[in-house]
PDB file of all heavy atoms in Angstrom:
ATOM      1  N   GLU L 326      30.303  15.588  12.814  1.00 97.00           N
ATOM      2  CA  GLU L 326      30.888  14.318  12.481  1.00 97.00           C
ATOM      3  C   GLU L 326      30.151  13.652  11.391  1.00 97.00           C
ATOM      4  O   GLU L 326      30.690  13.077  10.475  1.00 97.00           O
ATOM      5  CB  GLU L 326      30.876  13.424  13.733  1.00 97.00           C
ATOM      6  CG  GLU L 326      31.542  12.098  13.463  1.00 97.00           C
ATOM      7  CD  GLU L 326      31.632  11.242  14.726  1.00 97.00           C
ATOM      8  OE1 GLU L 326      31.393  11.817  15.860  1.00 97.00           O
ATOM      9  OE2 GLU L 326      31.879  10.030  14.648  1.00 97.00           O
ATOM     10  N   ALA L 327      28.767  13.686  11.439  1.00 98.00           N
ATOM     11  CA  ALA L 327      27.919  13.108  10.441  1.00 98.00           C
ATOM     12  C   ALA L 327      26.616  13.877  10.344  1.00 98.00           C
ATOM     13  O   ALA L 327      26.193  14.500  11.334  1.00 98.00           O
ATOM     14  CB  ALA L 327      27.642  11.617  10.761  1.00 98.00           C
ATOM     15  N   ALA L 328      25.980  13.887   9.184  1.00 98.00           N
ATOM     16  CA  ALA L 328      24.778  14.625   9.030  1.00 98.00           C
ATOM     17  C   ALA L 328      23.847  13.897   8.007  1.00 98.00           C
ATOM     18  O   ALA L 328      24.265  13.086   7.219  1.00 98.00           O
ATOM     19  CB  ALA L 328      25.096  16.005   8.496  1.00 98.00           C
ATOM     20  N   THR L 329      22.576  14.259   8.138  1.00 98.00           N
ATOM     21  CA  THR L 329      21.637  13.941   7.015  1.00 98.00           C
ATOM     22  C   THR L 329      21.945  14.896   5.883  1.00 98.00           C
ATOM     23  O   THR L 329      22.077  16.097   6.086  1.00 98.00           O
ATOM     24  CB  THR L 329      20.207  14.099   7.497  1.00 98.00           C
ATOM     25  OG1 THR L 329      19.893  13.112   8.452  1.00 98.00           O
ATOM     26  CG2 THR L 329      19.205  13.947   6.273  1.00 98.00           C
ATOM     27  N   VAL L 330      22.028  14.328   4.655  1.00 98.00           N
ATOM     28  CA  VAL L 330      22.384  15.187   3.474  1.00 98.00           C
ATOM     29  C   VAL L 330      21.232  15.115   2.536  1.00 98.00           C
ATOM     30  O   VAL L 330      20.826  13.981   2.101  1.00 98.00           O
ATOM     31  CB  VAL L 330      23.695  14.705   2.841  1.00 98.00           C
ATOM     32  CG1 VAL L 330      23.949  15.563   1.583  1.00 98.00           C
ATOM     33  CG2 VAL L 330      24.851  14.860   3.804  1.00 98.00           C
ATOM     34  N   ILE L 331      20.690  16.225   2.188  1.00 98.00           N
ATOM     35  CA  ILE L 331      19.596  16.328   1.179  1.00 98.00           C
ATOM     36  C   ILE L 331      20.154  17.134  -0.005  1.00 98.00           C
ATOM     37  O   ILE L 331      20.625  18.255   0.148  1.00 98.00           O
ATOM     38  CB  ILE L 331      18.394  17.049   1.805  1.00 98.00           C
ATOM     39  CG1 ILE L 331      17.901  16.270   3.011  1.00 98.00           C
ATOM     40  CG2 ILE L 331      17.273  17.191   0.768  1.00 98.00           C
ATOM     41  CD1 ILE L 331      16.728  16.959   3.746  1.00 98.00           C
ATOM     42  N   ALA L 332      20.067  16.547  -1.206  1.00 98.00           N
ATOM     43  CA  ALA L 332      20.812  17.130  -2.326  1.00 98.00           C
ATOM     44  C   ALA L 332      20.022  17.018  -3.623  1.00 98.00           C
ATOM     45  O   ALA L 332      19.336  16.049  -3.881  1.00 98.00           O
ATOM     46  CB  ALA L 332      22.177  16.468  -2.442  1.00 98.00           C
ATOM     47  N   HIS L 333      20.189  18.025  -4.442  1.00 97.00           N
ATOM     48  CA  HIS L 333      19.483  18.170  -5.739  1.00 97.00           C
ATOM     49  C   HIS L 333      20.499  18.342  -6.885  1.00 97.00           C
ATOM     50  O   HIS L 333      21.557  18.973  -6.720  1.00 97.00           O
ATOM     51  CB  HIS L 333      18.553  19.394  -5.702  1.00 97.00           C
ATOM     52  CG  HIS L 333      17.881  19.718  -6.967  1.00 97.00           C
ATOM     53  ND1 HIS L 333      18.186  20.821  -7.708  1.00 97.00           N
ATOM     54  CD2 HIS L 333      16.918  19.098  -7.638  1.00 97.00           C
ATOM     55  CE1 HIS L 333      17.459  20.874  -8.791  1.00 97.00           C
ATOM     56  NE2 HIS L 333      16.685  19.800  -8.775  1.00 97.00           N
ATOM     57  N   ASP L 334      20.209  17.730  -8.023  1.00 97.00           N
ATOM     58  CA  ASP L 334      20.969  17.990  -9.270  1.00 97.00           C
ATOM     59  C   ASP L 334      22.493  17.608  -9.028  1.00 97.00           C
ATOM     60  O   ASP L 334      22.783  16.553  -8.515  1.00 97.00           O
ATOM     61  CB  ASP L 334      20.757  19.434  -9.681  1.00 97.00           C
ATOM     62  CG  ASP L 334      21.364  19.696 -11.031  1.00 97.00           C
ATOM     63  OD1 ASP L 334      20.982  19.035 -12.003  1.00 97.00           O
ATOM     64  OD2 ASP L 334      22.185  20.651 -11.143  1.00 97.00           O
ATOM     65  N   ILE L 335      23.392  18.518  -9.363  1.00 98.00           N
ATOM     66  CA  ILE L 335      24.822  18.156  -9.177  1.00 98.00           C
ATOM     67  C   ILE L 335      25.142  18.085  -7.681  1.00 98.00           C
ATOM     68  O   ILE L 335      26.142  17.448  -7.266  1.00 98.00           O
ATOM     69  CB  ILE L 335      25.803  19.110  -9.853  1.00 98.00           C
ATOM     70  CG1 ILE L 335      25.750  20.547  -9.210  1.00 98.00           C
ATOM     71  CG2 ILE L 335      25.505  19.197 -11.359  1.00 98.00           C
ATOM     72  CD1 ILE L 335      26.952  21.343  -9.630  1.00 98.00           C
ATOM     73  N   GLY L 336      24.298  18.704  -6.847  1.00 98.00           N
ATOM     74  CA  GLY L 336      24.531  18.532  -5.374  1.00 98.00           C
ATOM     75  C   GLY L 336      24.352  17.142  -5.032  1.00 98.00           C
ATOM     76  O   GLY L 336      24.994  16.610  -4.062  1.00 98.00           O
ATOM     77  N   GLY L 337      23.501  16.337  -5.730  1.00 98.00           N
ATOM     78  CA  GLY L 337      23.358  14.913  -5.487  1.00 98.00           C
ATOM     79  C   GLY L 337      24.615  14.189  -5.881  1.00 98.00           C
ATOM     80  O   GLY L 337      24.969  13.190  -5.211  1.00 98.00           O
ATOM     81  N   GLY L 338      25.302  14.614  -6.908  1.00 98.00           N
ATOM     82  CA  GLY L 338      26.542  14.047  -7.261  1.00 98.00           C
ATOM     83  C   GLY L 338      27.609  14.246  -6.193  1.00 98.00           C
ATOM     84  O   GLY L 338      28.361  13.342  -5.890  1.00 98.00           O
ATOM     85  N   VAL L 339      27.665  15.456  -5.623  1.00 98.00           N
ATOM     86  CA  VAL L 339      28.521  15.720  -4.514  1.00 98.00           C
ATOM     87  C   VAL L 339      28.166  14.796  -3.367  1.00 98.00           C
ATOM     88  O   VAL L 339      29.071  14.191  -2.727  1.00 98.00           O
ATOM     89  CB  VAL L 339      28.353  17.227  -4.078  1.00 98.00           C
ATOM     90  CG1 VAL L 339      29.255  17.466  -2.845  1.00 98.00           C
ATOM     91  CG2 VAL L 339      28.783  18.120  -5.268  1.00 98.00           C
TER      92      VAL L 339
END
Side-chain angles (χ1 to χ4, degrees):
E326 182 176 348
T329 293
V330 177
I331 301 177
H333 173 250
D334 188 57
I335 68 163
V339 175

